[in-house]
Amino acid sequence: MSGAESEREEPDVEGVFGAGIKRDEDLPLLLGEGTYTDDISLPGMTYLAIKRSDHAHARIVDIDTSEAESKADVVAVYTGDDVEASGVPNTIPTAWDLPGLVQPQYRMLAIDKVRHEGDGVAAVVAETPQAAHEARKRIHVEYEELEAVTDPVTAVERDIPQIHEESDDNIAFDFELGDADAVNESFSAADRTASVTLRQPRLIPNAIEPRAAVADWNDSTQKLRLWMTSQNPHLHRMLLSAGTLGIPENNIRVIAPEVGGGFGSKIYHYPDEAITAWCSMQLGRPVKWRASRSEGYLTDCHGRDHVTDAEIAIDNDGTIQGVRVETHAGLGAHLSQFGTATPSYLYATVLSGQYTIPAIHCRVIGAFTTTTPVDAYRGAGRAEGIYVIERLMDVAARELGMDPTEIRRKNLIPADEFPYESAAALVYDSGEYERAMETALEHVDYETLREQQQTLREEGRYLGIGVANFIESAGLSPSGLAGQLGAQAGGWESSIVRFDSTGSVTVLAGTADQGQGHRTTYAQIAAEELGISVDDVEVVEGDTDRIPQGMGTYGSRSASVGGGSIARGARDVREKARRIAAHQLEASVDDIEFEDGEFYVAGASDRSLHIQAIAHEAYLGHDLPEEMDPGLEATNFYDPENFTYPFGTHVAVVEIDPETGAITIERYVAVDDCGEIINPTIVEGQVHGGIAQGIGAALYEGAAYDEDGHLQTRRMDEYAVPHATYLPDFETDSTVTPSPHNPIGVKGVGESATIAAAPAVVAAVTDALEPFDVDHLDMPVTPETVWRAMEEE
Amino acid sequence: MAENDISLIVNGTEHELTVEPRTLLVTALREELGYTGANVGCDTARCGACTVRLDGDAIKSCLRFAVQVDGAEVETVEGLGEHGDLTPLQECFQEHHSLQCGFCTPGMLMTADTFLQDAEAPSREEIREAIEGNLCRCTGYHNIVDAIEDTANRLGER
Ligand code: FES
Ligand code: FES
């Protein structure tokens, strides 16, 4: 994916850009004054509860709502037929098309069949939340049960029950990337091959704030206000308009107030928030819905769910010749927004990892199953892909009797080969992979650690060292390329940078924060570009009526694409200010220098004007250059030239208790390169959180279904979200390799650590188990898994 | 359903209210009295986002019925510090970047604040154990442990 010439300007790292300043957003949150969606109450508000299927797969024979309707305080009960009869478009669309994709209609409430436990079948609106929940129990649904299928491999076998009319084999897509012939040749030519079969279980995102919505339809103005837990309010506005409700986009206002974590789960257009809005439209009253945690477990999109056969062809000296991958990806019962993009383009394209691999081929079979829809969860696609290549590197090292770091070092893409075009269709922007890897290895004193491992083994103690190198493809743009690959939305970002007449600046940003600290980092970008204090910058996000356009926050895009847009907008503002300065200082524009907010005539620094004073002049409008309009603001749409490619190396050191299989993480070292760092404190926080989720995946988390398709992990005491005692202290460091394709040189960091941590930890455990001849263990690697693996030996 | 008249002293202010027997303390605080600082993150008393102090003990307010605590003194995050006068713990949370989305923060602060009332120089392990019942999905806990450790040090120096 293409690269072009640099539009980067060297940032002045002495300034606010690069400083670990405290977050502007913290104060209200620390005082309990943050407003989350569930904190919002409107006069006359009603409450929605959704009746959900308790079967994985069943035909709906009859829904009897009469008892529920007769309950006290019940305002209305609606079924899928009522929604359909209202004439709204009623379609939850997928936002990524693939060749031959089968796209069954996904409705706000099920009509003919339920296809996973948790599929919505009816909606109750009542005067109180308690009344809504009580009445929900009084809705009687008669089902004709059908067979469930939860596994993506089984789902596409013959004689398995068909989930959608449109697909007789439960295959949504059969995707291929790379050159199969070249791979076949590489496998015949190489000295050896190694392989691994692995499973990447379903993960449940578990933002601590459950999804919620408050909808307020006004009958006289025909306008909808919808507060919701959204990572991308403008996309939600568009999908509500065109997909589900059929109201013009400009009659919808979506507001994302404080959002309590997302990790992907709050990107998607779900039936629930849409039905909340639809109910408000029917009733002309405000409606609030909040998912319970177990409801979230059944309905928030899950992540991962891959079953993979992977092979690597290598020469005796460790040189990689080719990689072949075949994956069955579970998509769940419905195609969610990015459910098709995640296991295809976001996955297969990173299979080259940090390495020069001449030939790569990947096939992905996307399978419908009678389970919760699967979509992008932190690291989406990239996490699955990097896990595969890093596991292959480890089995290849074993096959050759090489040290895992040696085979990696041998195949790393050299720093002077960037931009690097991989055999998996990406053009990497920049990288110094060896530097990051050596930095990480130095932190743990790798050589000494290996010696220590030997000594301990002789004492019957099992230490394991896992090294994972990763790249991330971040930013998901440019729009044109994304479109060619099937995206149904753009990959740009938009912002407005606006001075007011007193010299303070408002930045309106199209991204939407869920804890990433945008208000602080964006203020740092604008302040740096404009030479003013961060305290003079106010950042506004998450309201489609205040911010004209935007795409939201996902895919580690905010700092690079959102931040890039703000930097460009600020530069436009600065250039207009420069022209005003030139006019008022009676100098030519070319003679005007800019430093620390001050414009001055070159060689005559006493003739100067501060940018904040110019802002005042711009709004007075009394003395502007001829033909210049008053005001000082810029609207920017930034469509990057390429993805950005954050990278780094994470090292996990574990010890295994041979008696119990218990795993202790002794050390965790993360070296990340996310390009230029806007705020090191915030970057570190992102890395910490990412590691926690990666370790969670490696050792604790995983959704489980029984054979009837019932989710077994539906409460917080059944799904192991890591507690404080499950995790070690983290050691972090960074290298800085700026992205040449980004105005401020940043690459993004949100997902990196999650991508890296799972392979690092699994590698550490299998390394500890080398004496037991264990090559690979599937996640989550529990003490029981380890203990059994040791026993089998 | 039968209703009960109860009283609660929240952050020093006495409130009279009428609740159903099944009304949870967290619901009474949030919906009846408007103290929305305590958050609801689970239905199984696992996440700790709803933690408040009840007669001096940190408890999960989703685990008590309002009628059970008639007459009790409740402290919520709103009662900790205020703008311009944060508690040392709140200051340390900000300095160590111990919150991201902030949804777990009110509960985390109430648990940690209560823990620090008795703990003198806790080890990092002890701190991790103390906040074991409060889940955070954003921070990975490292910075939260830093903040609590630093607060303990600062309080110890006084
Ligand atoms: S809401 Fe009380 S512990 Fe989760
Ligand atoms: S800061 Fe988001 S859950 Fe703790």
Side-chain angles (χ1 to χ4, degrees):
Chain A
M1 303 181 185
S2 82
E5 70 196 54
S6 176
E7 56 165 312
R8 223 186 120 235
E9 272 183 29
E10 259 330 298
D12 171 12
V13 288
E14 301 300 316
V16 285
F17 190 108
I21 55 179
K22 284 190 284 190
R23 292 204 319 173
D24 189 34
E25 31 277 271
D26 288 350
L27 196 56
L29 302 178
L30 287 165
L31 296 171
E33 289 170 0
T35 302
Y36 298 90
T37 301
D38 192 35
D39 297 339
I40 290 164
S41 284
L42 301 178
M45 193 160 77
T46 60
Y47 298 84
L48 166 69
I50 297 169
K51 173 81 176 174
R52 301 189 178 279
S53 163
D54 14 69
H55 297 290
H57 195 193
R59 208 170 301 287
I60 300 172
V61 180
D62 183 51
I63 306 178
D64 180 358
T65 58
S66 53
E67 192 189 342
E69 276 161 6
S70 71
K71 287 279 169 195
D73 284 345
V74 168
V75 180
V77 183
Y78 302 107
T79 66
D81 286 332
D82 297 323
V83 179
E84 196 75 358
S86 73
V88 298
N90 199 13
T91 296
I92 311 272
T94 98
W96 203 290
D97 200 6
L98 292 173
L101 181 68
V102 177
Q103 290 192 60
Q105 188 177 358
Y106 179 14
R107 297 182 174 86
M108 287 191 264
L109 292 174
I111 288 186
D112 51 342
K113 282 216 297 188
V114 289
R115 295 180 171 87
H116 73 94
E117 190 187 14
D119 239 353
V121 286
V124 194
V125 183
E127 299 289 350
T128 67
Q130 292 79 6
H133 291 133
E134 283 298 316
R136 174 172 58 184
K137 294 183 205 151
R138 309 282 171 238
I139 299 172
H140 304 289
V141 188
E142 193 188 322
Y143 292 105
E144 177 194 325
E145 237 187 293
L146 301 166
E147 208 181 312
V149 48
T150 60
D151 176 77
V153 181
T154 322
V156 299
E157 283 168 3
R158 266 191 296 168
D159 303 325
I160 291 298
Q162 187 176 338
I163 300 165
H164 291 281
E165 255 96 84
E166 293 84 346
S167 168
D168 56 11
D169 52 8
N170 294 331
I171 294 179
F173 62 80
D174 192 340
F175 171 88
E176 271 187 84
L177 187 101
D179 187 337
D181 292 338
V183 169
N184 290 341
E185 275 168 40
S186 75
F187 272 73
S188 336
D191 295 335
R192 290 151 184 265
T193 65
S195 68
V196 65
T197 296
L198 53 88
R199 215 167 238 282
Q200 303 193 58
R202 277 170 178 262
L203 300 176
I204 304 183
N206 267 297
I208 303 296
E209 179 202 30
R211 280 190 297 125
V214 177
D216 184 22
W217 169 258
N218 184 317
D219 257 332
S220 34
T221 60
Q222 297 282 296
K223 283 189 194 289
L224 173 71
R225 287 188 301 170
L226 180 64
W227 288 262
M228 61 183 283
T229 49
S230 170
Q231 298 183 215
N232 35 226
H234 293 87
L235 272 178
H236 277 125
R237 178 178 70 171
M238 180 179 89
L239 294 167
L240 284 159
S241 168
T244 41
L245 302 178
I247 316 167
E249 230 180 300
N250 58 5
N251 278 8
I252 304 175
R253 177 179 185 185
V254 176
I255 306 161
E258 300 292 352
V259 177
F263 319 115
S265 67
K266 292 170 183 169
I267 300 173
Y268 317 114
H269 190 48
Y270 291 93
D272 316 312
E273 293 85 346
I275 199 77
T276 309
W278 183 87
C279 287
S280 180
M281 289 169 69
Q282 302 305 301
L283 299 167
R285 289 180 65 181
V287 179
K288 181 192 271 192
W289 168 80
R290 174 176 64 76
S292 68
R293 178 60 48 181
S294 359
E295 203 175 1
Y297 278 7
L298 291 172
T299 60
D300 294 355
C301 285
H302 297 176
R304 321 290 194 245
D305 200 18
H306 281 200
V307 180
T308 297
D309 289 310
E311 296 169 275
I312 187 166
I314 27 168
D315 287 339
N316 287 333
D317 66 355
T319 309
I320 308 172
Q321 295 299 350
V323 163
R324 185 192 281 144
V325 174
E326 183 169 311
T327 292
H328 284 77
L331 305 173
H334 306 285
L335 296 183
S336 173
Q337 208 162 314
F338 293 129
T340 49
T342 305
S344 57
Y345 283 107
L346 292 182
Y347 166 66
T349 50
V350 301
L351 284 167
S352 198
Q354 291 193 358
Y355 313 109
T356 45
I357 304 178
I360 296 176
H361 182 257
C362 177
R363 178 181 179 206
V364 184
I365 298 148
F368 289 113
T369 57
T370 57
T371 60
T372 298
V374 179
D375 207 319
Y377 161 65
R378 198 172 195 171
R382 286 75 42 89
E384 295 91 312
I386 294 299
Y387 185 73
V388 169
I389 184 66
E390 288 302 287
R391 294 310 300 134
L392 279 177
M393 294 305 282
D394 285 335
V395 294
R398 282 267 177 106
E399 168 69 29
L400 295 167
M402 265 175 112
D403 186 280
T405 59
E406 208 36 57
I407 190 170
R408 284 176 167 80
R409 206 174 271 124
K410 179 151 193 87
N411 292 284
L412 287 179
I413 299 165
D416 57 7
E417 289 212 7
F418 291 88
Y420 176 82
E421 188 173 352
S422 81
L426 295 182
V427 179
Y428 297 176
D429 56 350
S430 60
E432 276 204 58
Y433 298 157
E434 190 157 359
R435 181 156 65 117
M437 180 170 151
E438 298 306 338
T439 308
L441 296 180
E442 266 166 43
H443 271 281
V444 294
D445 194 356
Y446 187 76
E447 298 305 324
T448 316
L449 205 54
R450 280 283 173 215
E451 287 161 21
Q452 196 191 343
Q453 179 182 42
Q454 271 315 319
T455 324
L456 287 175
R457 264 186 203 171
E458 282 149 26
E459 297 166 18
R461 289 178 58 187
Y462 298 94
L463 197 73
I465 310 158
V467 177
N469 290 339
F470 76 96
I471 60 141
E472 179 190 347
S473 57
L476 261 178
S477 39
S479 302
L481 176 70
Q484 284 165 29
L485 302 181
Q488 307 293 300
W492 46 265
E493 194 46 83
S494 170
S495 65
I496 295 175
V497 175
R498 175 186 295 153
F499 264 105
D500 60 31
S501 65
T502 64
S504 40
V505 167
T506 303
V507 173
L508 306 167
T511 50
D513 186 278
Q514 318 109 52
Q516 293 92 342
H518 292 175
R519 293 223 304 266
T520 303
T521 42
Y522 288 173
Q524 287 177 269
I525 295 170
E528 176 77 22
E529 298 289 342
L530 299 170
I532 59 176
S533 154
V534 270
D535 298 333
D536 287 338
V537 184
E538 174 74 19
V539 176
V540 180
E541 277 195 325
D543 182 341
T544 59
D545 264 17
R546 292 193 68 189
I547 302 130
Q549 290 297 343
M551 296 302 289
T553 290
Y554 48 85
S556 305
R557 70 192 298 278
S558 296
S560 65
V561 194
S565 170
I566 292 163
R568 287 167 38 126
R571 286 171 197 174
D572 290 345
V573 164
R574 197 173 66 201
E575 285 322 298
K576 182 171 180 182
R578 185 194 302 276
R579 285 166 50 215
I580 299 171
H583 170 77
Q584 298 202 346
L585 296 169
E586 294 174 346
S588 112
V589 176
D590 296 337
D591 288 341
I592 300 292
E593 307 273 332
F594 181 72
E595 205 182 312
D596 291 337
E598 205 78 42
F599 291 100
Y600 60 93
V601 182
S605 54
D606 54 326
R607 288 172 65 202
S608 71
L609 273 172
H610 196 271
I611 193 164
Q612 289 172 310
I614 293 175
H616 184 67
E617 297 289 336
Y619 287 96
L620 276 180
H622 295 166
D623 184 20
L624 300 179
E626 234 173 280
E627 294 186 11
M628 178 185 277
D629 295 327
L632 191 55
E633 69 168 62
T635 298
N636 181 271
F637 278 77
Y638 171 47
D639 199 4
E641 294 153 17
N642 191 2
F643 284 62
T644 54
Y645 296 88
F647 63 91
T649 298
H650 287 205
V651 183
V653 182
V654 305
E655 187 168 351
I656 305 262
D657 181 340
E659 299 294 313
T660 62
I663 302 155
T664 314
I665 301 181
E666 297 293 341
R667 293 191 62 186
Y668 194 95
V669 170
V671 175
D672 279 78
D673 193 319
C674 59
E676 294 290 354
I677 293 170
I678 305 164
N679 183 321
T681 310
I682 286 177
V683 163
E684 197 183 89
Q686 290 291 304
V687 171
H688 286 177
I691 300 170
Q693 292 186 18
I695 293 179
L699 301 182
Y700 304 110
E701 301 182 36
Y705 284 93
D706 71 11
E707 58 186 24
D708 295 326
H710 294 298
L711 184 66
Q712 300 295 287
T713 44
R714 58 195 300 158
R715 296 153 49 102
M716 261 182 174
D717 40 13
E718 293 161 344
Y719 183 94
V721 179
H723 295 224
T725 47
Y726 295 12
L727 297 173
D729 283 339
F730 308 129
E731 302 162 56
T732 58
D733 197 354
S734 50
T735 59
V736 176
T737 311
S739 173
H741 300 143
N742 181 275
I744 45 177
V746 306
K747 292 188 167 210
V749 73
E751 300 167 280
S752 290
T754 305
I755 297 172
V761 172
V762 173
V765 174
T766 50
D767 184 60
L769 296 177
E770 195 194 356
F772 301 88
D773 242 352
V774 176
D775 261 356
H776 173 74
L777 292 175
D778 277 332
M779 302 184 284
V781 186
T782 63
E784 186 188 338
T785 323
V786 171
W787 185 80
R788 283 184 194 283
M790 289 189 296
E791 287 296 295
E792 268 165 31
E793 165 46 20
Chain B
M1 196 168 291
E3 302 208 318
N4 301 62
D5 294 329
I6 62 164
S7 72
L8 284 179
I9 302 164
V10 186
N11 304 329
T13 306
E14 187 160 353
H15 298 273
E16 309 284 338
L17 64 162
T18 307
V19 293
E20 292 179 355
R22 63 182 172 186
T23 302
L24 298 170
L25 174 58
V26 67
T27 313
L29 288 171
R30 289 179 53 84
E31 280 161 31
E32 306 294 324
L33 302 177
Y35 293 94
T36 53
N39 290 322
V40 178
C42 70
D43 1 290
T44 45
R46 288 294 276 201
C47 76
C50 66
T51 306
V52 299
R53 208 151 35 214
L54 181 78
D55 294 331
D57 293 327
I59 57 125
K60 292 178 175 171
S61 60
C62 70
L63 205 55
R64 300 291 168 98
F65 293 111
V67 289
Q68 286 178 300
V69 300
D70 184 12
E73 271 199 54
V74 178
E75 287 168 84
T76 70
V77 68
E78 286 100 328
L80 279 188
E82 52 194 78
H83 186 44
D85 187 20
L86 295 181
T87 64
L89 181 67
Q90 285 169 316
E91 268 170 19
C92 285
F93 260 60
Q94 181 167 25
E95 276 169 33
H96 291 277
H97 184 32
S98 311
L99 62 154
Q100 292 186 21
C101 78
F103 197 78
C104 71
T105 310
M108 197 65 88
L109 287 171
M110 295 316 288
T111 299
D113 196 73
T114 310
F115 167 68
L116 286 170
Q117 290 177 352
D118 309 313
E120 288 234 324
S123 68
R124 291 180 78 84
E125 286 70 32
E126 284 164 345
I127 294 170
R128 284 185 183 274
E129 273 161 32
I131 57 167
E132 153 96 355
N134 290 72
L135 296 179
C136 176
R137 189 60 159 170
C138 299
T139 63
Y141 305 105
H142 181 111
N143 287 351
I144 295 178
V145 177
D146 280 356
I148 298 172
E149 193 178 36
D150 193 9
T151 313
N153 290 339
R154 289 187 200 184
L155 293 175
E157 278 162 20
R158 282 203 187 151

